[in-house]
Amino acid sequence: MNVHSISVIIPCFNEQQVIRETYMRLTRVMQANFSAYELLFVNDGSRDYTLSILKELASQDEHVHIISLSRNFGHQPAVSAGIENCTGDLAIIIDADLQDPPELIPDMVRMYEAEGCNVVYAVRKQRQGETVFKRVTAKWFYRIINYLSEVPLPVDTGDFRLIDRKVIDAFNRLEERNKYIRGLISWVGFKQVPIYYERAERFAGETKYPLSKMLKFARTSLLYFSNKPLRLASSIGIFSVIIALCLTMWVLYTTFFLPDRLVQGWSSTLIVVMFFGGTQMLTVGILGEYLGSIFNEIKKRPEFIVDEKVNTKPLKSNPPA
Ligand code: UDP
Ligand code: MG
């Protein structure tokens, strides 16, 4: 199993507590199985000792390559930076906190070879040590995304996956700035195969995905993968107009034929006004979300800015055995 050169992409944000352990577990697995590999750590503007630890590792081990971003851009841009800068025939995207077991990598590569596929995506069998809140939100998140999205997105997958050169090149040609990586990788097509694993607990430290980041993530994945919210807005509009027409008819009818039953309540008026006010705000809001995304895309600001690169040199792939 040493035909391919492999880039392991590891986004890191404030991971000083786990990064050495991650390095050791990855190195053990990679040394035992592959001859040409790089551990491409993307430092996503960490404010702790992550970068100095990485540099220390890089000075001892030439397999350690570092891309350091100029500030915290977020998980998805960090992974994009990795995909853009990796040089292996295959790339593996993995979290720094050891929730994705490095030991699965050889199995993924075997799967890749056996199936002749282009993507091997890891599907969680179980979520250990995650709060009920995280599990429930994740489950609903995928349900809703899948209902709304025009591209089917595999349920219970993170970004832990193997992608080959074809997919890497296709991905790098995508010009959108706000990338929802697992969705886009599914979108590019090719042959994609699942592999099942048990998700472990975070090795140390705490989640770098607070609710605010989760919401931002959900927003991107919705807006960039679906026009259904817009259609929903027009459906709500049509629905409201129909209700309004019915009510008008009822009012006219009572005025002329049942004057003694003429509406007198102000509460119904209030409800109707609030209902239409609400739907209008909602639809304007949905429009605004899309407008905001268009605004962001049109500015064409880069997705991330690289501050420095350490050790990065292209991997040579081995001649076929
Ligand atoms: N991460 C990152 N930038 C961020 C947030 C997270 O590079 O702004 C990295 C983080 O270091 C980890 C991965 O993304 O390697 C997943 O983050 P985390 O484990 O905190 O998320 P969770 O597993 O709780 O969803
Ligand atoms: Mg994690």
Side-chain angles (χ1 to χ4, degrees):
M1 245 208 312
N2 54 4
V3 187
H4 309 285
S5 58
I6 300 187
S7 298
V8 184
I9 297 169
I10 314 133
C12 314
F13 174 55
N14 294 348
E15 299 286 9
Q16 60 180 8
Q17 285 167 290
V18 299
I19 207 76
R20 280 178 203 279
E21 180 70 17
T22 308
Y23 163 75
M24 281 186 309
R25 287 234 337 241
L26 278 169
T27 302
R28 212 174 301 142
V29 170
M30 299 310 284
Q31 287 284 0
N33 293 283
F34 309 103
S35 55
Y37 72 92
E38 65 174 337
L39 302 181
L40 182 58
F41 289 94
V42 182
N43 172 41
D44 183 21
S46 299
R47 291 182 272 269
D48 62 0
Y49 290 105
T50 304
L51 184 60
S52 29
I53 298 171
L54 287 175
K55 282 184 174 166
E56 182 195 319
L57 295 171
S59 66
Q60 297 156 5
D61 181 351
E62 55 168 21
H63 291 109
V64 175
H65 299 179
I66 308 170
I67 305 275
S68 187
L69 305 184
S70 62
R71 64 171 169 87
N72 178 239
F73 280 89
H75 177 215
Q76 303 285 302
V79 174
S80 297
I83 297 179
E84 202 175 297
N85 287 283
C86 72
T87 52
D89 303 331
L90 304 177
I92 311 260
I93 304 165
I94 191 168
D95 280 358
D97 58 0
L98 294 172
Q99 281 194 290
D100 308 328
E103 291 70 29
L104 196 71
I105 295 176
D107 294 335
M108 290 169 114
V109 176
R110 261 191 290 275
M111 185 85 133
Y112 166 78
E113 285 168 349
E115 297 276 337
C117 55
N118 307 89
V119 175
V120 180
Y121 59 92
V123 182
R124 299 159 189 162
K125 270 197 287 204
Q126 221 172 38
R127 288 167 166 261
Q128 286 174 2
E130 291 192 340
T131 57
V132 176
F133 176 72
K134 182 108 188 179
R135 273 206 300 260
V136 172
T137 46
K139 187 169 167 200
W140 278 98
F141 172 71
Y142 286 111
R143 286 240 177 114
I144 294 173
I145 293 292
N146 254 327
Y147 169 70
L148 290 173
S149 168
E150 269 118 49
V151 196
L153 303 172
V155 178
D156 262 344
T157 54
D159 284 326
F160 186 26
R161 60 192 65 215
L162 173 151
I163 54 183
D164 76 353
R165 223 346 104 182
K166 274 190 193 161
V167 176
I168 298 172
D169 290 342
F171 184 88
N172 285 336
R173 278 183 45 215
L174 300 174
E175 288 193 9
E176 59 201 87
R177 313 282 137 163
N178 237 320
K179 291 202 178 91
Y180 173 54
I181 291 174
R182 59 199 78 158
L184 286 174
I185 291 181
S186 171
W187 179 88
V188 297
F190 300 108
K191 187 172 177 197
Q192 315 213 357
V193 197
I195 187 169
Y196 295 88
Y197 77 109
E198 307 224 333
R199 189 156 168 88
E201 267 178 63
R202 179 173 250 286
F203 178 73
E206 50 194 43
T207 175
K208 310 294 181 296
Y209 256 101
L211 188 62
S212 56
K213 275 189 188 170
M214 271 162 63
L215 287 177
K216 186 163 174 255
F217 181 67
R219 183 182 162 281
T220 315
S221 42
L222 256 183
L223 291 180
Y224 281 71
F225 271 83
S226 175
N227 293 329
K228 280 190 192 158
L230 281 175
R231 263 177 254 145
L232 182 74
S234 30
S235 319
I236 293 177
I238 293 169
F239 178 70
S240 320
V241 169
I242 292 174
I243 291 188
L245 280 177
C246 294
L247 284 173
T248 314
M249 265 156 24
W250 171 245
V251 171
L252 287 176
Y253 180 75
T254 43
T255 310
F256 291 114
F257 299 102
L258 305 165
D260 50 322
R261 284 189 54 194
L262 190 55
V263 193
Q264 14 177 302
W266 55 271
S267 44
S268 50
T269 318
L270 193 69
I271 290 171
V272 171
V273 169
M274 274 166 55
F275 178 75
F276 288 111
T279 46
Q280 276 171 23
M281 297 295 263
L282 181 73
T283 44
V284 171
I286 293 174
L287 280 174
E289 289 289 337
Y290 281 92
L291 192 65
S293 311
I294 295 171
F295 181 52
N296 273 336
E297 290 294 319
I298 219 162
K299 283 187 283 193
K300 289 204 183 278
R301 289 188 190 153
E303 211 186 342
F304 52 82
I305 295 171
V306 177
D307 176 20
E308 59 176 326
K309 298 185 181 184
V310 181
N311 262 3
T312 46
K313 50 184 173 310
L315 279 175
K316 280 196 222 75
S317 48
N318 301 336

